[in-house]
Amino acid sequence: WWPAAPAVEKKTLAQFNAAADKENAVVLEDLTVTYIYEYGKNVFVVDAEGTGGCIYDKNQTYITLADLKPGSVISGLKAKYDIYNAMPEIMPAEKPEAVSDGTAPAAEVLTAAPTISDACKLVKLESALVTKQGNNFYVMETVQLFDKFKLNYTVAENYTYDIVGIVIPYAKTGDPIIEICPTAAPENGTPSSLNNIKADSKAIKVIEDGQIMILRDGKRYNMLGVEIK
């Protein structure tokens, strides 16, 4: 007679990420697929608490991409934690107990810049102003717009767009930057009034009550170029 093996602990994605345990597998329940990046073998998911995650199974030993679509629900997934360039990953250790059909979740609309706590989530930024620093495009000043999923879209500086994408933290070393990686081409491009504000000695950028403003000729503008009375 042999004693039964101890049950594997169940955790939410938030608990899984907080523990960051690369040695011991846990069981994750009710992971709903939000986006599949076939080339990268990445399956982005969200759990019942709204925490995002990324399942990575390079050889599709336990997770078969062809069996999944946005809305698929993965239950009873035994997995270990890993991290790659600051992005947390779910590394399957066994096949899930079940995969069922469900409704593709809508992107979560954010009104503030995404943070590390939004990692791997599908989000939507509405009327987000695109700015440029060097060769890189940004939204909300500090969030890099990055074409991770090879969509080959184009955007223009000082235009606003509706953007749906996955939040990706990225760093080789040090503190990560936050990227928004579109899952579809940004839509509703609209020229911002900032195009009409000349960047000269009369225009300065200031922070008031935590908000970035542009002052010019005695008038105050927000980052959408809208004058603030």
Side-chain angles (χ1 to χ4, degrees):
W1 177 84
W2 296 96
V8 179
E9 183 180 6
K10 293 184 178 182
K11 288 189 175 181
T12 65
L13 272 178
Q15 293 168 335
F16 177 78
N17 291 334
D21 187 347
K22 297 183 179 182
E23 301 298 326
N24 301 298
V26 301
V27 172
L28 302 170
E29 298 285 2
D30 299 329
L31 304 178
T32 301
V33 176
T34 58
Y35 185 72
I36 299 171
Y37 179 39
E38 293 187 8
Y39 179 80
K41 304 298 188 294
N42 299 133
V43 179
F44 292 93
V45 296
V46 64
D47 72 0
E49 292 189 343
T51 303
C54 176
I55 300 172
Y56 180 65
D57 186 2
K58 180 179 180 180
N59 298 317
Q60 299 187 66
T61 304
Y62 305 115
I63 294 291
T64 304
L65 270 60
D67 295 339
L68 301 173
K69 60 184 178 181
S72 295
V73 180
I74 301 169
S75 300
L77 179 63
K78 187 177 180 180
K80 294 182 180 180
Y81 175 92
D82 204 355
I83 191 165
Y84 179 74
N85 289 343
M87 184 179 78
E89 293 183 325
I90 301 165
M91 309 293 286
E94 294 180 3
K95 288 184 177 293
E97 293 177 0
V99 175
S100 57
D101 290 337
T103 302
E108 179 181 343
V109 178
L110 299 183
T111 56
T115 67
I116 192 73
S117 65
D118 297 308
C120 301
K121 289 169 64 172
L122 180 68
V123 304
K124 182 176 184 179
L125 309 179
E126 296 180 331
S127 299
L129 177 68
V130 172
T131 56
K132 193 173 184 181
Q133 300 176 32
N135 293 322
N136 297 319
F137 288 100
Y138 291 81
V139 293
M140 295 180 168
E141 288 285 295
T142 58
V143 179
Q144 186 170 341
L145 187 63
F146 181 61
D147 190 16
K148 177 180 175 66
F149 305 128
K150 313 301 182 187
L151 302 179
N152 296 318
Y153 57 82
T154 59
V155 293
E157 183 180 10
N158 290 338
Y159 273 59
T160 62
Y161 295 87
D162 293 336
I163 301 171
V164 175
I166 300 289
V167 177
I168 303 288
Y170 175 81
K172 291 284 189 181
T173 59
D175 295 332
I177 64 170
I178 300 297
E179 299 173 340
I180 178 76
C181 302
T183 55
E187 296 182 332
N188 302 324
T190 305
S192 164
S193 299
L194 283 179
N195 285 318
N196 300 320
I197 302 175
K198 303 298 183 181
D200 58 20
S201 58
K202 295 181 180 179
I204 60 173
K205 185 186 293 185
V206 299
I207 298 178
E208 294 183 4
D209 297 326
Q211 293 186 332
I212 298 173
M213 305 279 185
I214 291 178
L215 302 183
R216 189 177 188 276
D217 295 333
K219 296 181 180 180
R220 299 157 66 245
Y221 301 86
N222 65 19
M223 289 306 294
L224 294 179
V226 178
E227 182 180 354
I228 301 196
K229 302 293 185 180

